[in-house]
């Protein structure tokens, strides 16, 4: 678990750290869409080169980065295997019952593999270089147009930032309760399924009551500090669009054009 | 059985081999004698809680080993068969009331003993005894733990640990957030368990008055290392050093320092209220406090 870096923030001051969160969010989203347009080796090559530069510009060492996404590799391999064994068409090399391996299925499997890898890498870069609160702010900015259809963007952003803020707190609390119950003789993660489910009760009940207590205290404290509603608030953290954002967008758009150009129709 | 707790060159690194790696214990060697009342003090983040969590193998050393109750905990120790060790070592965490979960007080206290294989009746009698020890009224038995006051909830939690009849009791800031009366009751309970039941008590605390009043051994930690281990009088003999470790003096010593600054000459630094009274009585030419 401790080697798992997906969804964590690594403090730094790189090019990507300095970009505004809204443009990072939109860029990641855009990148994922472009990935699905790619359908040949050249397009994937262009995207891979781009992601390599992104990782370099994020200031995170590539070795650490690869080690961190390693736990996800099993998920990827599983999906790729399904793709290889069950897709039909093309020249068949080998088949057994419902399973078969053909040249198209191998190529499809390879593409799925690269797609997965690219998506995981871009989203890992996003979370590694952006604090959770900045992500929440970014989401608020990105979703602003939805206010037109009376979607409660500000409330959602508030909930999101509180939720993100309490993830580590609740994780710490879970760890403590886990340890406390362990010292009282609970064996987590062993025995039969029924036993394991029963063992979760001494963990879940305190965790929920703790969360409810937090919510009660937090809402009281917020009201005491003059919070009335989420609509009429000014902002302390302001993320301005910078030159770095513009340059990054230009690069990404160019690569997008290249992908559209080289993809086979 | 050998009941001494021995740390040999224990190092603990959180999230080893990542950019988040944090060295919490650095080459710690320590012997906690059986039947002692050991206080562990140190600045916030000095590694006190990490240290005590090694004693019942909730954490395992990154290198080095710990000998306790005939077991040796090394970096390669697996999570299997640790139950027996944990039964011997009761651990009261900070704000232990957070661990309550059962529908009634008595069931929550019986939870520990039952996990260690006690029968329903054995667990029940252990629970009733533990309730008596911590001073909970029998009529609270069938109440929900969530209906109780904060102080009562903490007692239920402590009773839940005592019901397992541990031989070593670790208390991690057991009085944090309690009123002065609750504070004294919990500390007196620890003293009673130490004196009457011959328990080894390990207390993590920031309250230097408690260290002086109750502890027989003091371990001072700073940045993951043990910088001093001795009797309370030895630890507090050098006020300047104590301040350098970002620690306080017991309040009597603090007061005596102010007296000395104001020109009053005392023969030694008094650590307890009684010592202080005796010193002042000496100057005033009186008899000192009468028992």
């Amino acid at each position: 678990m401790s080697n798992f870096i997906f969804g964590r923030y690594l403090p730094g001051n790189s090019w990507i750290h300095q970009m505004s969160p809204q443009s990072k969010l939109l860029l990641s989203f855009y990148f994922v869409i472009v990935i699905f347009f790619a359908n040949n080796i050249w397009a994937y090559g262009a995207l891979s080169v781009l992601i390599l530069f992104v990782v370099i510009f994020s200031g995170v060492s590539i070795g650490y980065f690869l080690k961190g996404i390693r736990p996800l590799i099993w998920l990827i391999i599983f999906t790729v295997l399904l793709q290889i064994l069950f897709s039909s068409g093309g020249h068949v090399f080998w088949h057994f019952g419902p399973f078969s391996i053909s040249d198209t299925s191998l190529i499809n499997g390879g593409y799925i593999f690269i797609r997965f890898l690219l998506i995981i890498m871009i989203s890992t870069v996003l979370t590694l270089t952006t604090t959770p609160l900045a992500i929440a702010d970014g989401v608020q900015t990105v979703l602003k147009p939805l206010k037109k259809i009376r979607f409660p963007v500000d409330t959602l952003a508030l909930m999101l930032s509180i939720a993100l803020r309490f993830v580590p707190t609740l994780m710490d609390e879970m760890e403590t309760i886990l340890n406390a119950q362990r010292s009282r003789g609970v064996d987590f993660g062993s025995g039969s399924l029924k036993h394991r489910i029963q063992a979760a009760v001494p963990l879940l009940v305190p965790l929920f009551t703790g969360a409810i207590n937090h919510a009660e205290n937090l809402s009281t404290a917020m009201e005491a500090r003059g919070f009335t509603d989420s609509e009429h608030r000014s902002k302390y953290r302001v993320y301005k669009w910078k030159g770095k954002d513009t340059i990054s967008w230009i690069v990404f758009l160019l690569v997008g054009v290249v992908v559209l150009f080289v993809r086979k129709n | 059985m050998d009941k001494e707790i021995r740390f040999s060159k224990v190092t603990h690194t959180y999230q080893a081999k990542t950019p988040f790696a944090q060295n919490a214990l650095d080459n710690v060697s320590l012997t906690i004698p059986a039947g002692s009342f050991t206080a562990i003090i140190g600045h916030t983040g000095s590694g006190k809680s990490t240290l005590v969590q090694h004693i019942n193998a909730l954490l395992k050393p990154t290198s080095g080993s710990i000998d306790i109750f005939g077991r040796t905990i090394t970096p390669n120790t697996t999570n299997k068969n640790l139950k027996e060790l944990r039964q011997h070592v009761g651990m009261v965490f900070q704000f232990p009331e957070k661990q309550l979960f059962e529908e009634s007080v008595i069931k929550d206290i019986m939870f520990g003993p039952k996990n260690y294989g006690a029968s329903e009746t054995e667990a029940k009698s252990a629970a009733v005894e533990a309730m008596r020890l911590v001073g909970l009224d029998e009529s609270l038995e069938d109440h929900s733990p969530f209906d109780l006051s904060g102080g009562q909830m903490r007692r239920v939690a402590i009773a839940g640990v005592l019901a397992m009849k541990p031989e070593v009791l670790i208390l991690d800031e057991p009085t944090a957030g309690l009123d002065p009366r609750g504070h004294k009751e919990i500390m007196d309970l620890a003293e009673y368990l130490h004196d009457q039941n011959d328990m080894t008590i390990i207390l993590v605390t920031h309250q230097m008055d408690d260290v002086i009043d109750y502890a027989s051994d003091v371990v001072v930690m700073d940045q993951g290392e043990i910088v001093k281990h001795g009797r309370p009088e030895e630890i507090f003999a050098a006020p300047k050093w104590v301040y350098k470790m970002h620690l306080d003096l017991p309040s009597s010593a603090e007061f005596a320092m102010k007296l000395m600054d104001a020109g009053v000459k005392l023969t030694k630094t008094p650590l307890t209220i009684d010592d202080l009274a005796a010193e002042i009585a000496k100057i005033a030419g009186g008899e000192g406090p009468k028992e």
Side-chain angles (χ1 to χ4, degrees), chain A residues 2-3 8-10 64 67 173 176-177 179-187 201-202 205-206 209, chain B residues 15 17-20 53 56 58 83 86 91 93 98-101 108 111-112 115-116 146 160 164:
Chain A
S2 57
N3 283 334
R8 293 185 73 168
Y9 171 67
L10 195 63
Y64 173 63
K67 210 179 109 195
E173 244 159 56
T176 313
I177 297 167
N179 279 339
Q181 308 298 26
R182 266 197 196 123
S183 358
R184 294 214 279 167
V186 184
D187 241 342
V201 174
V205 174
T209 53
Chain B
Q15 310 193 18
K17 292 172 196 155
T18 74
F20 305 100
Q53 287 187 44
N56 66 353
L58 287 173
K83 253 184 152 177
R86 289 185 182 148
M91 176 114 178
F93 281 80
K98 281 186 184 169
Q99 75 197 36
L100 302 176
F101 71 98
D108 205 286
F111 180 68
N115 279 328
Y116 290 115
F146 298 103
M164 306 182 315

Side-chain angles (χ1 to χ4, degrees), chain B residues 23-280:
Chain B
N23 217 358
L25 288 183
D26 195 7
N27 213 9
V28 165
S29 292
L30 168 72
T31 304
I32 299 174
S36 69
F37 195 127
T38 302
I40 299 178
I41 58 177
H43 192 46
T44 311
S46 56
K48 308 182 292 282
S49 296
T50 308
L51 181 80
V52 293
Q53 287 187 44
H54 278 82
I55 299 174
N56 66 353
L58 287 173
L59 293 177
K60 276 157 230 152
T62 320
S63 71
S65 65
I66 299 137
D67 287 294
I68 173 167
F69 290 103
R71 290 284 305 253
T72 304
I73 309 292
T74 65
N76 303 323
T77 303
T78 58
N79 281 322
K80 286 189 180 121
N81 308 320
L82 289 175
K83 253 184 152 177
E84 198 207 355
L85 171 63
R86 289 185 182 148
Q87 187 177 14
H88 291 307
V89 183
M91 176 114 178
V92 177
F93 281 80
Q94 287 174 37
F95 300 101
E97 55 274 22
K98 281 186 184 169
Q99 75 197 36
L100 302 176
F101 71 98
E102 278 282 12
E103 52 199 277
S104 70
V105 167
I106 193 84
K107 273 192 181 169
D108 205 286
I109 302 176
M110 285 161 67
F111 180 68
K114 272 164 75 182
N115 279 328
Y116 290 115
S119 71
E120 196 78 20
T121 41
E122 284 166 352
K124 175 102 189 204
S125 72
V128 169
E129 196 195 325
M131 278 181 77
R132 190 184 54 75
L133 269 176
V134 299
L136 279 171
D137 200 82
E138 246 174 84
S139 62
L140 291 173
E141 242 178 49
D142 296 319
H143 281 59
S144 160
F146 298 103
D147 289 339
L148 304 180
S149 73
Q152 284 174 321
M153 279 169 85
R154 185 158 311 177
R155 275 171 222 211
V156 175
I158 295 177
V161 174
L162 292 180
M164 306 182 315
K165 301 200 166 66
E167 289 164 69
V168 175
L169 182 66
I170 302 168
L171 300 157
D172 194 347
E173 295 187 40
T175 60
L178 288 187
D179 58 20
R181 190 171 156 202
H183 179 120
K184 187 161 186 322
E185 282 171 359
I186 299 279
M187 288 312 301
D188 285 345
L189 170 66
E191 189 176 39
Y192 173 85
L193 293 168
H194 175 250
D195 293 346
Q196 303 297 315
N197 295 16
D198 223 12
M199 252 185 222
T200 309
I201 308 273
I202 297 167
L203 170 74
V204 175
T205 186
H206 287 288
Q207 311 277 333
M208 299 306 144
D209 284 345
D210 289 345
V211 176
I212 280 297
D213 290 344
Y214 298 100
S216 60
D217 261 86
V218 183
V219 174
V220 185
M221 295 197 66
D222 186 44
Q223 298 186 0
E225 290 178 49
I226 291 179
V227 285
K228 220 172 210 179
H229 182 190
R231 298 187 52 74
E233 303 85 61
E234 294 162 23
I235 301 292
F236 293 112
K240 275 202 186 120
W241 181 85
V242 173
Y243 286 134
K244 210 182 95 197
M245 290 290 117
H246 306 284
L247 296 171
D248 291 326
L249 287 173
S251 44
S252 317
E254 200 96 35
F255 183 72
M257 297 276 285
K258 285 194 178 132
L259 278 182
M260 288 196 261
D261 283 346
V264 180
K265 287 198 172 52
L266 301 178
T267 48
K268 60 166 186 158
T269 315
L271 295 175
T272 63
I273 297 276
D274 286 350
D275 283 355
L276 179 66
E279 283 295 313
I280 294 174

Side-chain angles (χ1 to χ4, degrees), chain A residues 54-219:
Chain A
V54 168
V55 172
I56 290 169
F57 272 79
S58 71
V60 183
S61 86
I62 295 184
Y64 173 63
F65 196 88
L66 291 178
K67 210 179 109 195
I69 58 177
R70 203 166 52 190
L72 292 169
I73 209 79
W74 298 111
L75 182 75
I76 301 176
I77 288 177
F78 178 70
T79 321
V80 169
L81 273 182
L82 283 187
Q83 183 74 21
I84 290 177
L85 292 177
F86 288 103
S87 64
S88 55
H91 179 73
V92 177
F93 300 124
W94 174 85
H95 71 97
F96 174 80
F99 308 112
S100 68
I101 295 177
S102 68
D103 54 353
T104 35
S105 72
L106 279 177
I107 291 170
N108 280 341
Y111 285 165
I112 293 265
F113 179 76
I114 298 175
R115 266 184 200 172
F116 250 115
L117 212 60
L118 291 175
I119 293 175
I120 288 168
M121 284 177 93
I122 192 85
S123 39
T124 307
V125 168
L126 174 73
T127 55
L128 273 181
T129 59
T130 322
T131 61
L133 283 177
I135 290 181
D137 280 337
V139 168
Q140 188 178 15
T141 312
V142 170
L143 293 184
K144 217 165 237 168
L146 289 183
K147 271 187 179 176
K148 291 245 163 58
I149 56 164
R150 306 181 79 187
F151 185 79
V153 173
D154 299 307
T155 310
L156 182 79
L158 180 74
M159 280 160 52
L160 193 61
S161 54
I162 291 176
L164 289 170
R165 156 67 186 77
F166 273 94
V167 167
T169 309
L170 290 177
M171 293 272 275
D172 278 354
E173 244 159 56
M174 188 184 84
E175 187 76 30
T176 313
I177 297 167
L178 205 69
N179 279 339
Q181 308 298 26
R182 266 197 196 123
S183 358
R184 294 214 279 167
V186 184
D187 241 342
F188 290 102
S190 70
S192 64
L193 187 66
K194 186 174 164 239
H195 177 88
R196 285 185 196 211
I197 293 171
Q198 278 173 347
V201 174
L203 178 64
L204 289 180
V205 174
L207 205 57
F208 276 112
T209 53
I212 290 167
N213 282 337
H214 277 309
E216 227 172 80
N217 292 338
L218 182 69
S219 57

Side-chain angles (χ1 to χ4, degrees), chain A residues 224-265:
Chain A
R225 298 177 72 178
F227 179 89
T228 48
D229 66 294
S230 37
E231 301 290 319
H232 304 93
R233 294 173 71 199
S234 57
K235 286 184 95 170
Y236 175 64
R237 292 180 301 271
V238 180
Y239 298 96
K240 285 214 182 81
W241 190 274
K242 297 183 194 122
K244 288 193 169 73
D245 293 308
T246 315
I247 296 171
S248 310
W249 270 102
I250 291 173
V251 172
F252 269 67
L253 287 173
L254 278 178
V255 173
V257 169
V258 168
V259 167
L260 282 184
F261 194 70
V262 300
R263 81 190 286 262
K264 61 175 185 229
N265 291 308

